[in-house]
Amino acid sequence: MFRGQERDASQMGGPGSARSEVRYDATVIPEFDKRPAFIHVLLLNKTIRLFVVLGVGSVIIPVFAYLFFFSKEIGHGSKRDIIGTCGHPTLYHVPCGRNNLSETECHQLGCCYTTLATCYHSLPSEHQLIIGDDWIPGTPAILSPLRSGTPYVEAALPEVRFDVIIPEDGSGRMSFLLSKANNISSARNQIPTKVMETRDLAVHVYSPTFFIEVKRKIDQEVIFSTARGPLIVTENFIEWTLHLGADILFGLGSAYLEPGRKHLLLNNLNTSATPIVMGYNAKLKLFNGVIFNTPGLTEVEILGSRLIIIRAQFDKNFEVQFMAGPTPAMLHQQSKAILQNQYTPPYWTYGVHVCDQSAKRNLTIVRHDLEVLLNETIMFDSHCLHNDQFWISDSMTLDKEFDFLRQLLRGAEKKFLPSLVLAISYGGNPTFIDARDHGILFRNPSNLLAYQGRLRNRTVVYVDWRTSQTSNLSTWFDSQWQKIANLAADGYTLEEVNPRDDRNNSLPGPGKLIYQPERLNDTLEELLPWNTLLSDSSELVLSRHNLLGVAMLDLIQKKIDPTIPLISGAAGMHSRVATLPSNVSASWIALRSEVDRIIGLSVAGISFTGTPICGNAPVGPANVSEELCIRWYQFGSLLPLFRVSADRTPNRFSRYGRRLMHAALRRRYELLEMLNTLILEDAAIIRPMFYHYEESANFTTELWEQFMFGEAVLVAPVLLPQMTQIAIYFPDTFYELWSGQQMPANDVLQYAVVESDLPMFLRPGFIIPLREVVEEEIVLEGGSVVPMSVERSRLKPLLLIGAFTCNARRWKCSTTGHVLLLAGFQLHFGVDLDERIVVNVRANVSTPELAQQAACSEQASLNATIVRVQLYGHPNTTQPLEYAVGYDYCQEPAKQVEFANLHRKGPVDAYGNFLAK
């Protein structure tokens, strides 16, 4: 973040400073020697300077040439057909093979060696593929390796197929596909284009050494290249080096990618694999990015030169999809066009979801806690009862206790959202026996029987959700689904989608894997043993691990109505599901990491996600910090998914903490129409500052501790304990959302905060809609009092808050906004400020019957009235202005209301009328 600079008033010469007395040093200055030094004589003589330059050049240039091309210390060693150079800058050194190679071993691999005992690829690398000169664009190319040996265990694949796919929609996307030559379906049934260009870009494939470059036509700048590192393809492994011409990178589930780090894309308890990297070119002021497929173990290394090195297990193909940008908004659109993952569940899914995650399952305790939530009117919308209650291998018998709890939720207008544990208890239960007989379980490599692990204090076996034996899997799952359907749930949370083994202590030694990332062992401690086998082949689970959650979701979504919400801890980029990470610790560091993660996912196009409020790690502190939870509630209130453990609901804290947490929830309910609009429009929700302020890239490209909520609101969450002020950068004039206080433009402000604050600021020119939610409880028809729900909050009228943007002379001002209540039902509103203040509201409805049913019938599910508008930024007053609007869609689809501009200033005629501008 930024640090404010303070100056002493006396140093500034301000009005409060005392004028100091000026004193002069009267000491006699000694006479200095006027004769020039000998070195100055040499440097001032032109002839001598010329000979010095020639002499230095005659020595330096040959030495540099020797080191660059011939030095055995940094060269390949004595070989007949040396290609490339070893003298390129250190920032472009791509590691060759494993660490601690000797000089002889390094040279045998065809790589460069230094006295620092590092082995790296030459430039260009000897490990490349060759493309024939007779290749015709638009047809598949067959590539062959320059070297049959590789720096890894396996030999290079003799033949690799290459395809270029450029969509004809002019979107700025293109795909580069490497696949095994015998894989007929590798090109995904798409016909490659013979035209290797788009309106703005040109693709150049070099031969005979295979390199790809993408250039902008307007200035011939290279914005994508594979020429700066190796391309190694074996039967089971690929290493490819990409360059986006970028100075700053973000992606991989992060708002900023720090150079010099390696990222392991392997689903574990905490996150899902997000193989998306985007970059910003400071010279061109343009953005671009890539998406690549990662079915299994994948490592991405970011060098100091912003080279992107991808090392991944290779199955049938490896695809890199390039997105040209050039703006963050266009990059987001291109990403969404590829991902196709828009998720729009029912409105109640935005509510507060509670789940008991205690170590021991006890429905008596669950019942007591649930009754406390209802009696004390703690705001929530759904409950899971207990996240260890419903195992897919259990009978899920609907006993009286369970039925009472379900009816208790229904009577309070709350939803039942159970957690399904998708591991199978080992033993004599029918679920295990049936799965074993169908051959769909992961196998132990020593005896090829179902692998037995330990999970939640049970011995378990694991389903291979991506098995090629799809008919066996479907038959088995059909027999299990009826138990789940009998729960009559409103939605489901999917637990243990990633196979976890609490007693795993089997880690691979050196050489047991083709490539072993540095952080692999730390991750494997949370997963199955590294050598566990798939159900249908001798391949390791690691090779398909990232596909398990995707395949499981596909199977379940075929069984349920599309309107039934699903929450999962592991999903693919293309999955239409609400995602929530697991194993997030209750710490300030974890909260900061969650902010970073949410920004990275949102800008890449993975929108419907959330953060586990106050953490959800199974092992954590008994007493969670109240201040930390308050800040987590505040940040989480802006996200689509809000889920909290039953031991961290507001009633578990002090009266003061409870009041602040409920205030955060009320603010959430107020802002939900804005959030719902972003979801329905498939727009980025949480946006990094550079998304809208590229001109301030020096400040915004690495700034992730503040962000934009949509396009209209700047948010700066408090992410450290006991803060009394935080530094906020304002690239434009902003107004504090709730009071209208004006913030200075293009400045860093030390903003004072208290524990109740979530600093939010409105951008000029925008109006946002809010529901007027002031109460925390509602009275049902029978007289019972229950906590406010998100569905009930939608029946409250709308309030508009806007901030003016004005012309250069500040005579005319305006502000606009809209809200998308339903698909095909939108309200537009605007305010013009001139001689009068004119408020306009207009409905844009493509499905009138649906709008009438939703807003105007006796069973209305939403309120389409606007009671008032609150305005900031009047050029002649700092006070907020408030006007009654009285708009009701059911009475009139459009309305215009005019008010006197009491604060207008300007020239008037002889009769007191304002003159035209």
Side-chain angles (χ1 to χ4, degrees), residues 85-287:
T85 177
C86 291
H88 51 291
T90 306
L91 288 176
Y92 288 90
H93 287 185
V94 178
C96 179
R98 68 179 192 276
N99 296 327
N100 303 320
L101 290 175
S102 67
E103 181 176 1
T104 301
E105 291 173 324
C106 180
H107 289 163
Q108 288 175 346
L109 293 174
C111 294
C112 308
Y113 190 84
T114 71
T115 52
L116 298 176
T118 57
C119 185
Y120 61 96
H121 287 271
S122 59
L123 187 67
S125 171
E126 288 197 25
H127 295 277
Q128 290 290 352
L129 300 182
I130 303 299
I131 186 172
D133 294 330
D134 56 347
W135 174 64
I136 301 174
T139 62
I142 300 300
L143 312 178
S144 58
L146 182 65
R147 274 176 164 263
S148 59
T150 71
Y152 305 101
V153 178
E154 293 185 335
L157 205 62
E159 291 186 337
V160 177
R161 170 174 166 160
F162 168 67
D163 292 277
V164 179
I165 302 168
I166 302 179
E168 298 180 355
D169 55 6
S171 60
R173 297 181 288 120
M174 52 190 66
S175 174
F176 307 112
L177 185 67
L178 298 176
S179 53
K180 295 179 180 178
N182 58 0
N183 181 23
I184 299 176
S185 61
S186 59
R188 299 181 304 148
N189 298 321
Q190 296 195 40
I191 301 175
T193 176
K194 294 185 179 181
V195 180
M196 302 283 284
E197 62 182 15
T198 66
R199 182 186 61 184
D200 303 315
L201 307 174
V203 181
H204 190 185
V205 178
Y206 289 87
S207 63
T209 306
F210 171 74
F211 297 127
I212 306 171
E213 279 188 350
V214 179
K215 293 183 179 180
R216 294 202 319 152
K217 291 180 179 179
I218 190 171
D219 52 18
Q220 294 300 301
E221 288 281 353
V222 177
I223 59 175
F224 175 81
S225 174
T226 67
R228 302 189 182 188
L231 171 55
I232 302 169
V233 184
T234 74
E235 183 69 27
N236 298 292
F237 179 78
I238 184 171
E239 177 178 333
W240 206 356
T241 303
L242 314 176
H243 194 257
L244 293 175
D247 303 287
I248 294 175
L249 296 176
F250 54 99
L252 304 179
S254 179
Y256 173 69
L257 293 178
E258 184 178 348
R261 292 192 60 185
K262 296 180 179 180
H263 302 263
L264 186 60
L265 301 187
L266 185 68
N267 286 348
N268 53 29
L269 285 177
N270 192 41
T271 188
S272 296
T274 52
I276 303 176
V277 180
M278 299 177 176
Y280 172 71
N281 187 307
K283 173 187 173 183
L284 303 176
K285 299 187 182 303
L286 300 177
F287 292 80

Side-chain angles (χ1 to χ4, degrees), residues 451 501-507 524-530:
Y451 173 76
D501 186 358
D502 293 339
R503 67 182 179 192
N504 173 30
N505 55 9
S506 174
L507 302 174
L524 285 179
E525 289 179 353
E526 301 170 342
L527 303 176
L528 298 184
W530 71 275

Side-chain angles (χ1 to χ4, degrees), residues 677-695:
T677 298
L678 293 170
I679 290 293
L680 292 177
E681 293 177 341
D682 210 10
I685 299 171
I686 304 298
R687 310 177 184 189
M689 293 299 297
F690 62 71
Y691 199 97
H692 293 292
Y693 295 100
E694 300 171 48
E695 68 278 4

Side-chain angles (χ1 to χ4, degrees), residues 56 199 304 469 589 635 706 709 782 803 824 843 846 860:
V56 170
R199 182 186 61 184
Q469 304 176 49
I589 294 176
F635 168 64
Q706 64 182 71
F709 178 50
S846 60

Side-chain angles (χ1 to χ4, degrees), residues 594-652:
E594 283 295 278
V595 175
D596 179 49
R597 181 184 68 86
I598 292 292
I599 296 175
L601 292 179
S602 183
V603 72
I606 302 174
S607 301
F608 211 104
T609 186
T611 175
I613 305 301
C614 310
N616 62 356
V619 178
N623 297 315
V624 183
S625 163
E626 180 171 282
E627 182 188 4
L628 171 64
C629 265
I630 290 171
R631 296 305 187 192
W632 217 313
Y633 266 77
Q634 292 170 348
F635 168 64
S637 68
L638 303 175
L639 306 181
L641 185 60
F642 192 104
R643 192 170 189 253
V644 61
S645 176
D647 62 342
R648 293 165 195 183
T649 51
N651 59 300
R652 300 301 183 105

